[in-house]
Amino acid sequence: MNAPDIALTQTAAAQAARPMPHVMNTYSRLPIALSHGQGVWVWDTQGRKYLDGLGGIAVNTLGHNHPKLVPALQHQLTQLIHTSNYYEIPLQEQLAAKLCELSGLSAVFFCNSGLEANEAALKIARKYGHDKGIARPEVVVYEKAFHGRSIATLSATGNVKVQQGFEPLVEGFVRVPMNDLAALEQVAQSNPNISAVFLETIQGEGGVNPARWEYLQGLRALCDEQGWLLMLDEVQCGIGRTGKWFAHQWAGIQPDVMPLAKGLGSGVPVGAVVVGEKALNVLGPGNHGTTFGGNPLAMRAGVETLRIMEEDGLMANAAAMGKLLADGLRERLAGIPGVKEVRGAGLMIGIELDRPCGVLLGRAASAGLLLSVTADSVIRLVPPLILNAQEAQQLLDLLCPLIKDFLAES
Ligand SMILES: Cc1ncc(COP(=O)(O)O)c(C=O)c1O
């Protein structure tokens, strides 16, 4: 059964009649309350069924109610949920060792979210600069970047809407355009205070904008030459989503610092910053910490997510299903005026239209499909990595007519 028409709650009337009056009003929510899920499907409290093309914004790697993940987490609940970083936590070591094996990097700090992982990266960049004798270290960041909503990470973000009202911003950032090595070389020549370059390997909130492989390779070389840290935010594009463990691996390079979160715990909050040799000893005891970070429940979720991904071949699946979706979208939307580009990698796909299309969020939900719209005009698909071919076809069947109708009318 399809849902009745679901409109975004952005109107003044909807704001006035807030559906959750005691929850702070920081999101424009759809009037849908999800109650449970199975695989790539979720149901709301009215019994309506949706194909989950959003995966909790690239979080639910293993979909919902996964038959291997749920018993493992149930077991963990009976052992320990939380202890303290005052003590050794063997599951931290286990997950850290796995992340180092998969990335080729050396050590991990665990936290609880993407912005926390990025905040840790920024502290590493500053301390690395200070250790080199730079009194006021600066970090190169990017136009259209999104790194989170803490004061430091929103300052690193390249979107004035995210920053407005929170000035003064944190200083010490130099902004450049994506995929323009000459711009960065100019910074290298004119600014002796740079300690790190910080970017998303594929920008997510900025509209699904990939860094080109040659650009990443050029960046790696420039960072080596200048003694800068290369810090790749893989919070959204990492953990198998593009068909490799980490999106930068397509370019055959390694970062020095890599923040992760979202997909790492399949829905249990886990953040991590993974560092290579160059950044290994920058932070020491007393330099950084968090109460919850790396607790046993979160670590078990991470360990099991990576184990199940390997066991079930989910990276190969992400690559194959991503291709099926991208090919299907290109074929079905070919020649339709208003469709600018289908881009991305694996199961991180953006469909850019020539006009704002936020209204599609509600329309897609009405048709039984969850998705998101970023950068006003880019439809974003980041479904669970367990999506199968039949479900990918269903997604295309649901989405393509919506796009065509929308473009025909506006
Ligand atoms: C690339 C990137 N970095 C950081 C963040 C912030 O993560 P969180 O919302 O977990 O703080 C996001 C969230 O969308 C993201 O996409």
Side-chain angles (χ1 to χ4, degrees), residues 73 76-77 80-82 91 268 295-302:
L73 293 181
Q76 188 58 45
L77 289 172
L80 284 170
I81 296 174
H82 177 83
L91 278 162
V268 177
N295 86 19
L297 180 63
M299 295 299 93
R300 185 72 185 269

Side-chain angles (χ1 to χ4, degrees), residues 278-320:
K278 211 159 142 187
L280 184 56
N281 297 312
V282 175
L283 297 183
N287 283 150
H288 199 49
T290 157
T291 298
F292 289 118
N295 86 19
L297 180 63
M299 295 299 93
R300 185 72 185 269
V303 165
E304 299 296 338
T305 297
L306 300 181
R307 182 181 68 77
I308 296 164
M309 285 177 69
E310 272 184 331
E311 217 169 81
D312 294 358
L314 292 188
M315 274 192 305
N317 189 61

Side-chain angles (χ1 to χ4, degrees), residues 151-189:
I151 294 287
T153 57
L154 75 79
S155 302
T157 288
N159 179 346
V160 287
K161 279 196 219 156
V162 173
Q163 297 171 333
Q164 246 160 24
F166 302 105
E167 300 85 355
L169 301 181
V170 170
E171 60 181 76
F173 294 111
V174 175
R175 202 168 298 283
V176 297
M178 183 73 122
N179 290 322
D180 181 350
L181 208 55
L184 205 62
E185 278 159 355
Q186 211 163 11
V187 173
Q189 278 165 20

Side-chain angles (χ1 to χ4, degrees), residues 57 112-116 118 146-149 200 202-205 233-237 261-262 380:
I57 322 184
N112 311 285
S113 66
L115 82 78
E116 280 180 66
N118 285 337
F146 183 83
H147 296 296
R149 289 175 179 275
E200 298 152 86
I202 302 174
Q203 290 182 335
E205 305 307 301
D233 178 347
E234 295 238 0
V235 165
Q236 188 164 151
C237 62
K262 289 194 182 275
R380 174 179 48 177

Side-chain angles (χ1 to χ4, degrees), residues 223-390:
C223 286
D224 288 343
E225 187 188 298
Q226 298 291 328
W228 299 341
L229 294 176
L230 176 56
M231 311 205 302
L232 294 180
D233 178 347
E234 295 238 0
V235 165
Q236 188 164 151
C237 62
I239 313 294
R241 179 151 296 280
T242 66
K244 287 200 188 277
W245 284 109
F246 307 108
H248 65 263
Q249 290 173 331
W250 289 105
I253 59 144
Q254 270 184 4
D256 302 304
V257 177
M258 174 172 64
L260 298 171
K262 289 194 182 275
L264 180 53
S266 270
V268 177
V270 191
V273 62
V274 190
V275 299
E277 289 298 314
K278 211 159 142 187
L280 184 56
N281 297 312
V282 175
L283 297 183
N287 283 150
H288 199 49
T290 157
T291 298
F292 289 118
N295 86 19
L297 180 63
M299 295 299 93
R300 185 72 185 269
V303 165
E304 299 296 338
T305 297
L306 300 181
R307 182 181 68 77
I308 296 164
M309 285 177 69
E310 272 184 331
E311 217 169 81
D312 294 358
L314 292 188
M315 274 192 305
N317 189 61
M321 293 306 109
K323 181 166 172 9
L324 201 155
L325 279 179
D327 288 351
L329 287 164
R330 287 188 185 112
E331 196 181 306
R332 294 190 197 198
L333 300 176
I336 295 184
V339 178
K340 284 178 80 176
E341 192 181 18
V342 176
R343 59 178 177 256
L347 286 176
M348 182 171 179
I349 296 174
I351 306 145
E352 182 172 7
L353 307 185
D354 68 353
R355 64 203 78 172
C357 59
V359 66
L360 284 176
L361 218 65
R363 290 192 191 174
S366 299
L369 174 63
L370 304 185
L371 47 71
S372 77
V373 170
T374 68
D376 293 336
S377 58
V378 181
I379 301 161
R380 174 179 48 177
L381 298 172
V382 279
L385 307 192
I386 57 166
L387 187 81
N388 67 32
Q390 193 192 352

